Amino acid sequence: MSSDALNLLFSICIGFALAGALASGYQAMAARSAGFELLLDGVAPKTFAAVPLLVFAAPFIIMRKTLRGTKIERRPFAVVMETVLAGFWSLMSGTFFLMTLRAAGLVA
């Protein structure tokens, strides 16, 4: 495996781990699961505060809704598309997180 492929795989894994940690932390603090419904409260400070959480927790939320939806509905093409979307989103958030750690000097 090339170093570029390994770096991309590591970014995806970091992105999913970060998403899961944020969603689980929110669930522990708020006693309800994080979801895109947090944006439906209109223009309020808590809606704006939910945006950064949802940006980084989105891969976990998408995959959770996908896996729950497969039990209820039979939609194989949608599962593939949602998994690709969550994977790409995880890649981007993991890459941003690693770049931030490198800029802070915490990772070489």
Side-chain angles (χ1 to χ4, degrees):
M1 184 180 289
S2 70
S3 62
D4 289 337
L6 191 61
N7 192 18
L8 289 176
L9 181 65
F10 188 65
S11 293
I12 290 172
C13 292
I14 290 292
F16 272 123
L18 178 66
L22 286 174
S24 297
Y26 178 82
Q27 187 171 357
M29 298 296 282
R32 69 178 197 155
S33 60
F36 294 111
E37 301 86 25
L38 294 173
L39 298 175
L40 298 178
D41 292 336
V43 179
K46 66 179 181 178
T47 304
F48 289 110
V51 171
L53 170 78
L54 292 176
V55 165
F56 289 102
F60 179 81
I61 295 168
I62 292 169
M63 288 308 299
R64 184 185 64 210
K65 290 186 180 289
T66 300
L67 294 175
R68 284 184 183 169
T70 57
K71 293 179 183 178
I72 299 169
E73 303 171 5
R74 301 285 184 228
R75 46 184 184 157
F77 183 71
V79 170
V80 172
M81 290 305 295
E82 291 166 356
T83 303
V84 168
L85 174 68
F88 184 73
W89 200 321
S90 176
L91 173 68
M92 292 298 110
S93 64
T95 302
F96 177 79
F97 184 67
L98 287 174
M99 287 174 58
T100 304
L101 289 179
R102 283 187 189 117
L106 299 173
V107 175

